[in-house]
Amino acid sequence: MSFFARPILNRVKQLAFRPRGVEEFFENHQSLPTEKSWTGRAWRAGELRLKSFDDLHKLWYVLLKERNLLATQKEEARRFHVPKQSFSNKGRRVKCQKSMSRIKFVLNERRLAWVEAQKLQRLATAQEAATSNIKTPGSTSGSSSGPLSSSTTSNATA
């Protein structure tokens, strides 16, 4: 085996064991978890504000897959007539829902800030254009560049 073939084989082995398709809807290849797993807390808006757009985009899809996994587990529990007392993933679903809504909130904050910045930029450009068209009091040039001066000169020659 050559030196260059090793990384490729390792990568192929990694890809061969990744769950694909419908298997991603099940944890540990089981329709229902056999033991209760500890999960963390929901993402806070302050933490999400520090993330880039690409990171938020990736996190959104991770949470979407988690939400689909939890919905599959809920449906499987209903299908197998598992009592709600013995199986419930409501806490995980709430954390997932809160995190997704906070991502939407942070992205909306960024969108509103961008719209406000666009308004300020248009206003600054309009003010700059208006101040450049105003004649300064100390200038003594014979020609004026305002819209009224061109109409009065055209009327005077007619």
Side-chain angles (χ1 to χ4, degrees), residues 134-155:
I134 297 176
K135 187 176 175 182
T136 57
S139 67
T140 58
S141 65
S143 67
S144 84
S145 61
L148 293 177
S149 63
S150 63
S151 64
T152 55
T153 57
S154 64
N155 287 342

mmCIF file of all heavy atoms in Angstrom, residues 134-155:
data_model
loop_
_atom_site.group_PDB
_atom_site.id
_atom_site.type_symbol
_atom_site.label_atom_id
_atom_site.label_comp_id
_atom_site.label_asym_id
_atom_site.label_seq_id
_atom_site.Cartn_x
_atom_site.Cartn_y
_atom_site.Cartn_z
ATOM 1 N N ILE A 134 -25.865 73.223 -3.759
ATOM 2 C CA ILE A 134 -26.117 74.554 -3.188
ATOM 3 C C ILE A 134 -24.926 75.455 -3.495
ATOM 4 O O ILE A 134 -23.783 75.093 -3.291
ATOM 5 C CB ILE A 134 -26.361 74.463 -1.674
ATOM 6 C CG1 ILE A 134 -27.624 73.645 -1.405
ATOM 7 C CG2 ILE A 134 -26.471 75.848 -1.060
ATOM 8 C CD1 ILE A 134 -27.885 73.414 0.048
ATOM 9 N N LYS A 135 -25.223 76.677 -3.963
ATOM 10 C CA LYS A 135 -24.181 77.653 -4.285
ATOM 11 C C LYS A 135 -23.662 78.253 -2.986
ATOM 12 O O LYS A 135 -24.431 78.671 -2.137
ATOM 13 C CB LYS A 135 -24.766 78.731 -5.181
ATOM 14 C CG LYS A 135 -23.752 79.692 -5.700
ATOM 15 C CD LYS A 135 -24.414 80.644 -6.637
ATOM 16 C CE LYS A 135 -23.419 81.699 -7.066
ATOM 17 N NZ LYS A 135 -24.038 82.671 -7.935
ATOM 18 N N THR A 136 -22.360 78.318 -2.853
ATOM 19 C CA THR A 136 -21.774 78.892 -1.646
ATOM 20 C C THR A 136 -21.835 80.410 -1.738
ATOM 21 O O THR A 136 -21.715 80.980 -2.826
ATOM 22 C CB THR A 136 -20.320 78.426 -1.481
ATOM 23 O OG1 THR A 136 -19.582 78.782 -2.638
ATOM 24 C CG2 THR A 136 -20.269 76.918 -1.284
ATOM 25 N N PRO A 137 -22.023 81.133 -0.618
ATOM 26 C CA PRO A 137 -22.203 82.583 -0.650
ATOM 27 C C PRO A 137 -20.955 83.351 -1.112
ATOM 28 O O PRO A 137 -21.068 84.411 -1.675
ATOM 29 C CB PRO A 137 -22.537 82.969 0.791
ATOM 30 C CG PRO A 137 -22.649 81.709 1.557
ATOM 31 C CD PRO A 137 -22.224 80.595 0.695
ATOM 32 N N GLY A 138 -19.775 82.825 -0.974
ATOM 33 C CA GLY A 138 -18.565 83.563 -1.319
ATOM 34 C C GLY A 138 -18.165 83.434 -2.776
ATOM 35 O O GLY A 138 -17.228 84.079 -3.233
ATOM 36 N N SER A 139 -18.838 82.632 -3.571
ATOM 37 C CA SER A 139 -18.425 82.443 -4.963
ATOM 38 C C SER A 139 -18.927 83.587 -5.826
ATOM 39 O O SER A 139 -20.013 84.113 -5.635
ATOM 40 C CB SER A 139 -18.933 81.107 -5.491
ATOM 41 O OG SER A 139 -20.340 81.126 -5.590
ATOM 42 N N THR A 140 -18.128 84.004 -6.819
ATOM 43 C CA THR A 140 -18.480 85.144 -7.679
ATOM 44 C C THR A 140 -18.540 84.745 -9.131
ATOM 45 O O THR A 140 -18.332 85.545 -10.016
ATOM 46 C CB THR A 140 -17.414 86.254 -7.515
ATOM 47 O OG1 THR A 140 -16.140 85.698 -7.848
ATOM 48 C CG2 THR A 140 -17.435 86.826 -6.125
ATOM 49 N N SER A 141 -18.803 83.495 -9.404
ATOM 50 C CA SER A 141 -18.859 83.060 -10.797
ATOM 51 C C SER A 141 -20.104 83.610 -11.451
ATOM 52 O O SER A 141 -21.138 83.784 -10.822
ATOM 53 C CB SER A 141 -18.818 81.541 -10.881
ATOM 54 O OG SER A 141 -19.985 81.009 -10.294
ATOM 55 N N GLY A 142 -20.019 83.891 -12.740
ATOM 56 C CA GLY A 142 -21.122 84.492 -13.460
ATOM 57 C C GLY A 142 -22.200 83.499 -13.805
ATOM 58 O O GLY A 142 -23.348 83.867 -13.969
ATOM 59 N N SER A 143 -21.864 82.258 -13.958
ATOM 60 C CA SER A 143 -22.881 81.273 -14.333
ATOM 61 C C SER A 143 -23.366 80.553 -13.092
ATOM 62 O O SER A 143 -22.614 80.276 -12.181
ATOM 63 C CB SER A 143 -22.299 80.269 -15.323
ATOM 64 O OG SER A 143 -21.314 79.492 -14.677
ATOM 65 N N SER A 144 -24.623 80.264 -13.063
ATOM 66 C CA SER A 144 -25.157 79.479 -11.958
ATOM 67 C C SER A 144 -25.617 78.147 -12.506
ATOM 68 O O SER A 144 -25.969 78.028 -13.675
ATOM 69 C CB SER A 144 -26.299 80.233 -11.270
ATOM 70 O OG SER A 144 -27.509 80.023 -11.939
ATOM 71 N N SER A 145 -25.610 77.158 -11.664
ATOM 72 C CA SER A 145 -25.910 75.801 -12.135
ATOM 73 C C SER A 145 -27.238 75.283 -11.612
ATOM 74 O O SER A 145 -27.465 74.107 -11.609
ATOM 75 C CB SER A 145 -24.790 74.858 -11.711
ATOM 76 O OG SER A 145 -24.709 74.840 -10.299
ATOM 77 N N GLY A 146 -28.109 76.114 -11.129
ATOM 78 C CA GLY A 146 -29.393 75.673 -10.601
ATOM 79 C C GLY A 146 -30.415 75.478 -11.696
ATOM 80 O O GLY A 146 -30.251 75.957 -12.819
ATOM 81 N N PRO A 147 -31.508 74.835 -11.432
ATOM 82 C CA PRO A 147 -32.537 74.601 -12.443
ATOM 83 C C PRO A 147 -33.260 75.885 -12.841
ATOM 84 O O PRO A 147 -33.724 76.004 -13.960
ATOM 85 C CB PRO A 147 -33.484 73.608 -11.777
ATOM 86 C CG PRO A 147 -33.213 73.689 -10.329
ATOM 87 C CD PRO A 147 -31.810 74.165 -10.183
ATOM 88 N N LEU A 148 -33.333 76.849 -11.930
ATOM 89 C CA LEU A 148 -34.015 78.097 -12.261
ATOM 90 C C LEU A 148 -33.184 78.936 -13.218
ATOM 91 O O LEU A 148 -33.725 79.621 -14.082
ATOM 92 C CB LEU A 148 -34.316 78.898 -10.991
ATOM 93 C CG LEU A 148 -35.344 78.264 -10.048
ATOM 94 C CD1 LEU A 148 -35.488 79.120 -8.802
ATOM 95 C CD2 LEU A 148 -36.664 78.111 -10.744
ATOM 96 N N SER A 149 -31.893 78.909 -13.102
ATOM 97 C CA SER A 149 -31.066 79.767 -13.931
ATOM 98 C C SER A 149 -31.120 79.342 -15.388
ATOM 99 O O SER A 149 -31.111 80.173 -16.281
ATOM 100 C CB SER A 149 -29.615 79.747 -13.435
ATOM 101 O OG SER A 149 -29.111 78.429 -13.561
ATOM 102 N N SER A 150 -31.241 78.059 -15.674
ATOM 103 C CA SER A 150 -31.302 77.627 -17.058
ATOM 104 C C SER A 150 -32.622 78.006 -17.690
ATOM 105 O O SER A 150 -32.691 78.355 -18.871
ATOM 106 C CB SER A 150 -31.085 76.120 -17.148
ATOM 107 O OG SER A 150 -32.113 75.458 -16.471
ATOM 108 N N SER A 151 -33.716 78.008 -16.929
ATOM 109 C CA SER A 151 -35.014 78.360 -17.483
ATOM 110 C C SER A 151 -35.098 79.867 -17.696
ATOM 111 O O SER A 151 -35.697 80.325 -18.642
ATOM 112 C CB SER A 151 -36.132 77.868 -16.585
ATOM 113 O OG SER A 151 -36.079 78.523 -15.341
ATOM 114 N N THR A 152 -34.487 80.653 -16.830
ATOM 115 C CA THR A 152 -34.559 82.110 -17.010
ATOM 116 C C THR A 152 -33.678 82.549 -18.170
ATOM 117 O O THR A 152 -34.031 83.478 -18.886
ATOM 118 C CB THR A 152 -34.104 82.833 -15.722
ATOM 119 O OG1 THR A 152 -32.822 82.380 -15.355
ATOM 120 C CG2 THR A 152 -35.090 82.596 -14.597
ATOM 121 N N THR A 153 -32.565 81.899 -18.402
ATOM 122 C CA THR A 153 -31.726 82.264 -19.533
ATOM 123 C C THR A 153 -32.377 81.854 -20.831
ATOM 124 O O THR A 153 -32.249 82.535 -21.833
ATOM 125 C CB THR A 153 -30.339 81.629 -19.416
ATOM 126 O OG1 THR A 153 -30.479 80.226 -19.322
ATOM 127 C CG2 THR A 153 -29.568 82.184 -18.254
ATOM 128 N N SER A 154 -33.076 80.728 -20.843
ATOM 129 C CA SER A 154 -33.738 80.301 -22.082
ATOM 130 C C SER A 154 -34.918 81.219 -22.405
ATOM 131 O O SER A 154 -35.217 81.471 -23.558
ATOM 132 C CB SER A 154 -34.175 78.857 -22.003
ATOM 133 O OG SER A 154 -35.140 78.717 -20.985
ATOM 134 N N ASN A 155 -35.608 81.737 -21.375
ATOM 135 C CA ASN A 155 -36.726 82.654 -21.596
ATOM 136 C C ASN A 155 -36.215 84.013 -22.050
ATOM 137 O O ASN A 155 -36.868 84.702 -22.830
ATOM 138 C CB ASN A 155 -37.558 82.826 -20.318
ATOM 139 C CG ASN A 155 -38.383 81.571 -20.030
ATOM 140 O OD1 ASN A 155 -38.587 80.753 -20.924
ATOM 141 N ND2 ASN A 155 -38.831 81.439 -18.797
#
